[in-house]
Amino acid sequence: MRKPLMAGNWKMNKTVGEAVAMVKALKTAVADVTDVEILVCPTYTALYAVYNEIKDSNINLGAQNLFWEAKGAFTGEISPSMVKDAGCSYVIIGHSERRQYFGETDETVNKRTKAAFGAGLIPIVCVGETLEEREKNITFQVVETQVRGGLANLTAEESAAVVIAYEPVWAIGTGKTATPQQAQEVHAFIRKIYKEIYGDAADKVRILYGGSVNPKNVSDLMKQSDIDGGLVGGASLEAESFTQLVKY
């Protein structure tokens, strides 16, 4: 049985003080939750402070990105071991905003994914199509290319541990959400492709939905057989709304 994962991607929001205040409130609100894994992904500057606030709680910590080299002359980047050292157990890889604004490719996504595993982190690898690609009816083609490229050459253990997040780019921060049926259709397709690559690991791998998830639509999304949680943006920035998602 796949344990649902509700992950909050805070993106470029919250100072250290605001981040700590948020998880302090969240920690109390979700203290009784045992059936859903809870994850928050603050900005780099807040990671360690947030870790110190949640380390004895049921909330896990993730980073929003990392670089694939262990160290060196890479100004502005952060290494897998630095992310691990800050208290993280997860890291988001290949978010559509990273692809759109910072030139990430399936190849660099794969490098980051392998580097994350090398440091003992669980990568959440993002895939998804743009509105233009959906309107051209090439959603499956785009997603398959991203899955095969970004998740290539994993070990048996890694292939079962990785988390995949399906994020239709046209639904991120737009208020538009894929219908539960649209989301399920792509999630099922991802699991089918993954089974072709990694066999039985496809039954274990968790596939999250991301794209304007909110307290009103989360329940219907989570009823779908291949949706194993959410990668949540805006609705994860307030303790009250994120708690509602965790307790869907």
Side-chain angles (χ1 to χ4, degrees):
M1 188 68 185
R2 299 184 298 267
K3 187 173 186 176
L5 170 63
M6 205 59 71
N9 175 15
W10 294 1
K11 307 190 180 184
M12 198 175 72
N13 292 290
K14 297 192 184 297
T15 61
V16 174
E18 290 166 347
V20 170
M22 154 68 182
V23 290
K24 193 173 280 191
L26 182 66
K27 190 169 67 169
T28 303
V30 300
D32 58 336
V33 175
T34 57
D35 56 343
V36 174
E37 193 173 348
I38 306 162
L39 175 67
V40 293
C41 301
T43 58
Y44 293 137
T45 51
L47 286 175
Y48 191 58
V50 168
Y51 171 71
N52 281 325
E53 186 62 45
I54 65 175
K55 61 186 174 186
D56 297 319
S57 76
N58 59 341
I59 303 171
N60 293 299
L61 185 69
Q64 296 176 19
N65 188 32
L66 51 67
F67 192 59
W68 57 82
E69 295 288 353
K71 58 183 176 181
F74 305 103
T75 301
E77 291 297 334
I78 188 166
S79 74
S81 61
M82 291 171 186
V83 168
K84 182 76 173 173
D85 189 49
C88 293
S89 50
Y90 285 85
V91 59
I92 299 169
I93 306 280
H95 190 279
S96 64
E97 289 154 6
R98 299 294 314 171
R99 295 176 189 256
Q100 180 181 352
Y101 302 128
F102 305 106
E104 298 246 349
T105 64
D106 294 335
E107 182 185 11
T108 63
V109 165
N110 189 240
K111 284 183 178 181
R112 285 179 162 88
T113 299
K114 296 291 286 182
F117 274 125
L121 296 158
I122 298 174
I124 300 174
V125 179
C126 301
V127 301
E129 82 284 9
T130 64
L131 181 60
E132 184 184 7
E133 288 163 342
R134 177 163 277 269
E135 287 176 344
K136 284 182 180 173
N137 292 317
I138 56 171
T139 292
F140 291 155
Q141 185 181 326
V142 169
V143 169
E144 179 172 357
T145 299
Q146 290 174 341
V147 169
R148 289 188 183 277
L151 294 162
N153 303 314
L154 302 183
T155 67
E157 190 179 352
E158 290 167 353
S159 67
V162 72
V163 178
I164 302 171
Y166 168 59
E167 298 198 306
V169 181
W170 49 272
I172 297 173
T174 62
K176 293 179 183 176
T177 314
T179 65
Q181 293 73 27
Q182 284 174 319
Q184 165 59 23
E185 183 182 34
V186 181
H187 278 240
F189 175 76
I190 290 170
R191 206 175 298 281
K192 172 176 150 302
I193 294 299
Y194 204 74
K195 198 172 192 80
E196 290 176 13
I197 310 169
Y198 292 117
D200 291 344
D203 298 323
K204 297 174 186 171
V205 74
R206 289 179 292 183
I207 307 176
L208 312 183
Y209 173 74
S212 299
V213 180
N214 61 58
K216 290 180 180 174
N217 62 31
V218 65
S219 178
D220 287 339
L221 287 164
M222 292 302 295
K223 285 174 186 167
Q224 307 304 311
S225 58
D226 287 295
I227 297 180
D228 304 312
L231 181 57
V232 186
S236 73
L237 293 174
E238 300 298 333
E240 185 181 352
S241 56
F242 194 49
T243 297
Q244 289 178 272
L245 297 180
V246 169
K247 295 185 174 184
Y248 68 87

